[in-house]
Amino acid sequence: AETLGVENRGPLYEQIGALRDIVQNHMFQVLALTTMDGPNSFDAEALRNEKAKVLSSITPIDPRHVVRGQYAAGEVDGQAVPGYREEPGVAADSQTETFVALRLELESWRFSGVPFFLRTGKRLPMRDTRIVIVFRDVPLHLFRHVGVRHLDSDRLVVRIQPDEGITLRFVAKRPGSDVDPEPVDMDFSYDTSFRVSPPEAYETLLHDAFIGDHTLFIREDEVEAGWLAVARVLTNPPPVHLYGAGSWGPAEADAIPRPWHWHNPDPEPQQPA
């Protein structure tokens, strides 16, 4: 999620869009790192071999499982911002997407039948990159006889930026004689634990380039697999839906993860006056 718009890159972004800009490279890399089998070493090729296996297992994405959006005028961080079509160098009837939500599956032994939901957009309420792993429901709800018909699934949240860390959310019983379940968090943050933030992404890449470490760089077969996965969407794109700047995207995107739902980040705490 980004709060920024196209930032005077309208003519360039008109030729790209969010699917090409973010999904088939950045988001697919996060997907691969999340789902790959462990490599047999930290050697760059061993890691890239496992990522390539994941990316080549993506079932070609059906355009019916994709929602494209484009931000209209709205308010972000308390400031009024123009719509995408009002940005310099953007066509007044542009159909370029600044938001994408999609569902995909991997044809693999480990993840057969497991849905993956990807979402990215500009002019959203906050800057945030995270992975949310939702655990399966238990097969038998033992508390059903005391009025508890549903328990929220446990989930593991890996925060990539800006607040790097990991949160495990699970359901606990509130103290007392009544069965009153409530979700609670176990949280780890690099900033609070080590009093230091990890280096910026491009700092790491530049350092690795200097020392000749290819681990974080994409290999040719990974690039080809990413483009093959989105080819059907690029050749037959679904319509663009407008969403107000400062929202979480078009309402149509809410249907993508059903019967589940998106896990929007909690709003950033307000600083005291």
Side-chain angles (χ1 to χ4, degrees), residues 245-256:
S247 71
W248 279 109
E252 289 80 1
D254 293 341
I256 291 293

Side-chain angles (χ1 to χ4, degrees), residues 34-47:
T34 304
T35 58
M36 71 181 191
D37 289 333
N40 57 15
S41 74
F42 276 121
D43 176 75
E45 291 309 306
L47 183 72

